[in-house]
Amino acid sequence: MKMILAILRDEDSENVSLALVKSEFRVTRIASTGGFFRRGSTTLMIGVADGQVDVAIQVVRQACAPTNEGEGRHATLFVLNVAYFEQI
Amino acid sequence: MKMILAILRDEDSENVSLALVKSEFRVTRIASTGGFFRRGSTTLMIGVADGQVDVAIQVVRQACAPTNEGEGRHATLFVLNVAYFEQI
Amino acid sequence: MKMILAILRDEDSENVSLALVKSEFRVTRIASTGGFFRRGSTTLMIGVADGQVDVAIQVVRQACAPTNEGEGRHATLFVLNVAYFEQI
């Protein structure tokens, strides 16, 4: 099991969340702000099976709108190992 | 040291937080929303010693109200390894 | 790559964020509340190269205002291993 933390621009968060849910990933959304300009961002926590990490990242990639040149990054993804997972 | 990320229904978050604090766990609460229906949820970050993970999870389990059938899950827990921990 | 989760008192979060950004660390801010008293706190997610963890922690330490005696901790830091990192 892995935990993907995806930090997205607010304008992409809707599309990315929907695309992940359609692909049956479980998504939790957290409001965040980024860096120097305090631009609004959304942090998604996505719990995925080890074998599904690449699929989830591909879904995020495809659901992000193209940025104009010079606008900077779309999304930053951190994948963490999960030592134990349980649903109560 | 471990970090437990516990994603709870809003209606359970009060009881679970109090139960953890009473058991002397350190809890940080973050407002979140979940999945398809954007239902409000609360994400708890709980820093625990390795030997206390099972105790903390048991506290969460017992503090969640029983759900009615078909209402879905109570809580999702991800346990992460902590490489380094410091209090300043 | 490491992910530092830094849980700060609200009154330190501005200074700490600015100091980290000045040192060219990438910071994402999340509003949180802590423990028993529900005091407002800020959780920073800081993605850093392995060799920069000590530098980042030192920046956090120096940017926290001195607390009065008995006021408790400044900040709690959890450092997590990142299995995979990508910017889209």
Side-chain angles (χ1 to χ4, degrees), chain A residues 14-26:
Chain A
E14 183 73 22
N15 279 349
V16 173
S17 299
L18 281 176
L20 286 165
V21 169
K22 273 186 200 161
S23 299
E24 304 197 0
F25 290 104
R26 294 180 153 261

Side-chain angles (χ1 to χ4, degrees), chain B residues 1-3 14 17-18 21 26-31 45-48 80-88, chain C residues 2 5 7 30-36 38 41 43 57 60-61 64 73-81:
Chain B
M1 174 72 62
K2 295 279 190 289
M3 160 75 74
E14 183 73 22
S17 298
L18 282 175
V21 170
R26 294 180 153 262
V27 179
T28 300
R29 299 160 58 110
I30 295 173
M45 300 191 299
I46 314 155
V48 298
L80 309 176
N81 290 316
V82 174
Y84 177 73
F85 170 72
E86 181 174 332
Q87 286 185 305
I88 294 176
Chain C
K2 295 279 190 287
L5 294 174
I7 303 165
I30 295 173
S32 51
T33 53
F36 191 66
R38 300 285 180 78
S41 62
T43 297
I57 291 176
V60 174
R61 242 186 241 121
C64 285
R73 309 283 187 178
H74 268 303
T76 304
L77 305 178
F78 298 92
V79 182
L80 309 176
N81 290 315

Side-chain angles (χ1 to χ4, degrees), chain A residues 32-41, chain C residues 13-14 17-18 29:
Chain A
S32 51
T33 54
F36 190 67
F37 296 110
R38 300 287 180 78
R39 186 170 180 170
S41 61
Chain C
S13 75
E14 183 72 21
S17 298
L18 281 176
R29 300 161 56 110

Side-chain angles (χ1 to χ4, degrees), chain B residues 12-33:
Chain B
D12 286 322
S13 74
E14 183 73 22
N15 280 348
V16 173
S17 298
L18 282 175
L20 286 164
V21 170
K22 273 187 200 161
S23 299
E24 305 196 1
F25 291 104
R26 294 180 153 262
V27 179
T28 300
R29 299 160 58 110
I30 295 173
S32 51
T33 53

Side-chain angles (χ1 to χ4, degrees), chain A residues 2 5 7 30-36 38 41 43 57 60-61 64 73-81, chain C residues 1-3 14 17-18 21 26-31 45-48 80-88:
Chain A
K2 294 280 189 288
L5 294 174
I7 303 165
I30 295 173
S32 51
T33 54
F36 190 67
R38 300 287 180 78
S41 61
T43 297
I57 291 175
V60 174
R61 240 187 242 120
C64 284
R73 307 284 187 179
H74 268 303
T76 305
L77 304 178
F78 298 92
V79 182
L80 309 177
N81 290 315
Chain C
M1 174 69 63
K2 295 279 190 287
M3 158 74 74
E14 183 72 21
S17 298
L18 281 176
V21 169
R26 295 182 152 260
V27 179
T28 301
R29 300 161 56 110
I30 295 173
M45 300 192 298
I46 314 154
V48 298
L80 309 176
N81 290 315
V82 174
Y84 177 74
F85 170 71
E86 181 173 333
Q87 286 186 305
I88 293 174

